């Protein structure tokens, strides 16, 4: 009975259906509490109450030991996750995101042998993420972002098993990044072994480690991530959930992750060293954000190999040398930000590339850059008359040249005409008269021919 505009409370009498196995009431306007006796139905195996207005606590008394799927997300449920859930040995899918659940995640949930999906994000859960999660061999999707979880992420969370996606952003996690990841105050280096996992290398499509305290170099073996280089068939229909990340300079919510989604965001850390050349091998990459770090040296010359790139942000680093000409060949590029670095030389020119920053903001803070759209003339530039290739600058220089000639003529005329005549008349010597006017004629002819 999903999507039927049902309203009011779920009647207690529904608990009289002792043989009920499947109950789907999602996407309605149901309110009130979940009936206390609903989990006493021993045969109930599939329960979906998503996207309603249910409130109160989840019933604590549980006897439906054969439950396979429970989905009660996007409601207004409060209280804790019932401990009785740990007895559902057949449970494969546990969905409680976007509620107001508090307290800790029961450790026993991590030991349910068939559980593949855990969705707890957008709640008020506290405490630490159970270390036992790293021992789970079947878990594929773990979403715990936007809670109040703290402590260390389990060291062995990505060491084996079937785990494909994890979001742990917007919590209070601390400690060094080992073989797991999230958007917290993580520190230390990004270990090469993190990207060496065979399964992760094949299926990794989105790497989002922004807003942490990660340091050290970007691992060179990032170029080995097949999922960022070649088409992945594992997500051809898209995963059930998405994430929030910066795309083309704007924080957006990606509702579903499809095979064509390929992004890396390592912004707002303290990463140093150079941008690895191997990163240019990731031909499926659509978004790359390395801004607000301490990256130095030059931009890889073969960055133009990122032929699918739509957004590139390398701002607020210490990148130097010139902008690679290959960057201007990426026709898919829609957003570019190279501001506040130490780049120098001429800005590449190409029809599409010229439209990415007409106002020049993408290149601001690089005092040694020249050429359009900046107002700085590059040394060695040549054009028909002025030596520059910017029409606005050419007109400005032409006007300045004409003014300079005019001022010179006025000054020379004043000196020769007034003071010369004054001296001749003052000296009153006839022998100076004709040489003086002969000189005036000579100067006039030269000036006329010059103009």
């Amino acid at each position: 009975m999903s999507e039927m505009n049902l309203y009011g409370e779920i009647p207690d009498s529904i608990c009289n259906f002792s043989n009920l196995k499947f109950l789907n009431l999602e996407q309605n306007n149901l309110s009130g509490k979940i009936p206390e006796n609903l989990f006493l139905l021993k045969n109930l195996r599939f329960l979906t109450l998503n996207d309603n207005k249910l409130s109160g606590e989840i019933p604590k008394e549980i006897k439906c030991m054969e439950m396979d799927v429970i989905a009660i997300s996007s409601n207004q449920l409060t209280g804790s996750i019932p401990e009785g859930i740990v007895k559902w040995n057949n449970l494969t899918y546990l969905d409680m995101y976007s509620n107001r659940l508090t307290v800790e995640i029961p450790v026993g949930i991590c030991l349910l042998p068939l559980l593949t999906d855990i969705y707890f994000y957008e709640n008020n859960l506290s405490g630490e993420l159970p270390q036992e999660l790293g021992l789970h061999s079947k878990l594929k999707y773990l979403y715990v972002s936007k809670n109040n979880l703290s402590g260390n992420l389990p060291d062995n969370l990505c060491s084996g098993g079937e785990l494909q996606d994890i979001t742990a952003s917007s919590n209070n996690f601390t400690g060094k990044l080992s073989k797991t990841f999230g958007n917290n105050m993580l520190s230390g280096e990004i270990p090469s072994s993190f990207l060496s996992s065979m399964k992760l290398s094949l299926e990794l499509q989105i790497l989002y480690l922004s807003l942490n305290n990660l340091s050290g170099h970007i691992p060179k073996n990032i170029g080995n991530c097949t999922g960022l280089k070649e088409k992945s068939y594992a997500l051809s229909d898209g995963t059930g959930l998405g994430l929030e990340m910066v795309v083309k300079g704007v924080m957006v919510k990606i509702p579903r992750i499809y095979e064509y989604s390929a992004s890396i965001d390592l912004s707002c850390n303290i990463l140093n060293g150079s941008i690895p050349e191997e990163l240019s091998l990731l031909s499926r990459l659509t978004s790359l954000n390395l801004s607000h770090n301490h990256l130095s040296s030059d931009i890889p010359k073969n960055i133009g190999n990122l032929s699918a790139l739509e957004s590139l942000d390398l701002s607020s680093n210490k990148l130097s040398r010139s902008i690679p000409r290959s960057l201007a060949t990426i026709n898919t590029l829609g957003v570019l930000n190279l501001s506040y670095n130490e780049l120098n030389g001429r800005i590449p020119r190409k029809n599409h590339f010229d439209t990415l920053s007409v106002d020049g903001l993408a290149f601001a803070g690089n005092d040694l850059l020249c050429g359009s759209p900046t107002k700085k003339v590059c040394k060695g530039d040549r054009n028909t008359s002025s030596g520059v290739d910017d029409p606005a600058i050419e007109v400005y220089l032409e006007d300045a040249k004409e003014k300079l000639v005019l001022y010179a003529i006025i000054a020379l005329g004043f000196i020769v005409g007034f003071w010369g005549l004054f001296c001749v008349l003052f000296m009153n010597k006839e022998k100076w008269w004709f040489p003086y006017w002969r000189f005036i004629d000579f100067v006039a002819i030269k000036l006329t021919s010059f103009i």
Side-chain angles (χ1 to χ4, degrees):
M1 292 186 288
S2 63
E3 300 181 67
M4 293 183 62
N5 294 321
L6 299 175
Y7 60 92
E9 298 185 1
I10 301 175
D12 289 335
S13 57
I14 201 169
C15 301
N16 296 331
F17 301 150
S18 58
N19 291 323
L20 188 65
K21 293 183 179 181
F22 184 102
L23 178 60
N24 184 356
L25 297 172
E26 68 179 350
Q27 297 184 37
N28 284 290
N29 291 310
L30 297 170
S31 58
K33 296 182 177 181
I34 298 175
E36 287 289 337
N37 295 330
L38 188 61
F39 289 159
L40 298 180
L41 296 174
K42 295 182 180 180
N43 294 310
L44 190 62
R45 302 190 65 171
F46 186 104
L47 175 64
T48 234
L49 304 175
N50 291 340
D51 297 297
N52 281 286
K53 299 177 181 178
L54 299 172
S55 58
E57 296 190 0
I58 303 171
K60 298 289 190 296
E61 193 173 356
I62 293 174
K63 289 186 178 179
C64 46
M65 301 305 178
E66 302 299 318
M67 184 76 78
D68 292 329
V69 172
I70 177 170
I72 53 177
S73 63
S74 297
N75 283 286
Q76 301 167 17
L77 299 171
T78 57
S80 59
I81 301 172
E83 288 284 347
I85 290 179
V86 304
K87 300 178 182 179
W88 292 347
N89 289 326
N90 291 331
L91 191 66
T92 61
Y93 188 96
L94 180 56
D95 180 2
M96 296 183 174
Y97 75 85
S98 194
N99 279 290
R100 300 171 185 173
L101 301 176
T102 57
V103 198
E104 299 181 355
I105 299 174
V107 175
I109 288 179
C110 310
L111 303 177
L112 295 174
L114 302 180
L115 191 60
T116 60
D117 297 64
I118 297 179
Y119 303 120
F120 285 158
Y121 67 92
E122 293 182 9
N123 277 288
N124 295 314
L125 297 172
S126 59
E128 296 188 6
L129 198 61
Q131 295 291 319
E132 288 78 4
L133 277 172
L135 304 175
H136 206 294
S137 60
K138 297 289 186 181
L139 191 61
K140 292 184 178 180
Y141 303 102
L142 175 63
Y143 287 64
V144 292
S145 59
K146 294 188 178 180
N147 280 286
N148 294 316
L149 299 170
S150 57
N152 295 329
L153 289 168
D155 289 340
N156 55 352
L157 192 56
C158 296
S159 60
E162 299 291 325
L163 192 61
Q164 295 179 12
D165 286 319
I166 172 175
T167 67
S169 62
S170 301
N171 280 288
N172 299 313
F173 293 121
T174 56
K176 292 185 177 182
L177 181 68
S178 178
K179 294 181 181 179
T180 185
F181 56 97
N183 177 18
N184 306 282
M185 294 308 292
L186 300 172
S187 59
E189 298 185 2
I190 302 174
S192 296
S193 57
F194 166 65
L195 297 172
S196 297
S197 166
M198 181 62 69
K199 188 173 184 65
L200 187 62
S201 175
L202 290 173
E203 298 188 1
L204 179 67
Q205 290 186 217
I206 293 180
L207 179 60
Y208 185 25
L209 295 172
S210 179
L211 298 167
N212 284 289
N213 285 323
L214 297 173
S215 58
H217 295 187
I218 300 173
K220 291 185 177 181
N221 63 343
I222 194 170
N224 297 333
C225 294
T226 308
L228 293 171
K229 293 193 296 184
E230 302 172 5
K231 183 177 179 180
S232 172
Y233 295 95
L235 296 178
S236 58
D237 294 326
T239 60
L241 293 173
L243 73 160
E244 291 180 348
M245 66 182 300
V246 177
V247 176
K248 299 184 179 180
V250 181
M251 177 66 77
V252 298
K253 187 169 184 178
I254 303 175
R256 296 177 74 87
I257 304 173
Y258 292 92
E259 55 87 13
Y260 50 79
S261 302
S263 303
I264 293 179
D265 189 345
L266 302 178
S267 62
C268 302
N269 283 286
I270 49 177
L271 297 170
N272 54 45
S274 60
I275 300 174
E277 290 279 346
E278 292 78 3
L279 206 148
S280 299
L281 299 175
L282 307 179
S283 56
R284 288 187 58 240
L285 205 59
T286 58
S287 177
L288 176 61
N289 189 350
L290 303 178
S291 64
H292 297 278
N293 280 287
H294 297 159
L295 298 171
S296 57
S297 190
D298 55 347
I299 301 171
K301 288 184 173 51
N302 54 352
I303 195 170
N305 293 340
L306 301 179
S307 56
L309 200 63
E310 299 175 5
S311 175
L312 176 64
D313 191 347
L314 304 178
S315 63
S316 300
N317 279 287
K318 299 178 180 179
L319 298 171
S320 58
R321 302 181 187 174
S322 60
I323 300 173
R325 292 183 179 276
S326 65
L327 184 59
T329 65
I330 306 177
N331 292 325
T332 56
L333 199 60
V335 173
L336 175 69
N337 192 351
L338 303 178
S339 62
Y340 300 100
N341 280 285
E342 299 170 8
L343 299 167
N344 58 64
R346 185 194 304 274
I347 298 173
R349 299 296 305 273
K350 199 143 190 179
N351 292 340
H352 172 70
F353 193 76
D354 291 348
T355 65
L356 297 181
S357 182
V358 178
D359 54 8
L361 293 179
F363 308 103
N366 294 279
D367 295 335
L368 299 180
L369 282 178
C370 62
S372 180
T374 71
K375 299 300 181 183
K376 296 182 180 178
V377 181
C378 294
K379 184 178 180 181
D381 278 346
R382 289 291 179 269
N383 205 314
T384 54
S385 59
S386 63
V388 294
D389 57 359
D390 191 314
I393 297 178
E394 185 175 350
V395 171
Y396 173 80
L397 293 178
E398 193 67 33
D399 290 343
K401 183 178 179 181
E402 291 177 359
K403 288 180 181 178
L404 183 62
V405 172
L406 177 63
Y407 294 152
I409 293 172
I410 294 173
L412 186 59
F414 178 76
I415 294 172
V416 175
F418 178 78
W419 288 107
L421 180 60
F422 177 80
C423 291
V424 170
L425 294 176
F426 178 77
M427 288 184 289
N428 196 23
K429 293 183 179 181
E430 188 175 342
K431 67 177 182 179
W432 292 105
W433 185 259
F434 289 106
Y436 167 74
W437 286 112
R438 192 179 298 115
F439 175 72
I440 293 295
D441 290 340
F442 172 78
V443 171
I445 291 171
K446 289 293 184 183
L447 287 177
T448 303
S449 62
F450 176 77
I451 295 174

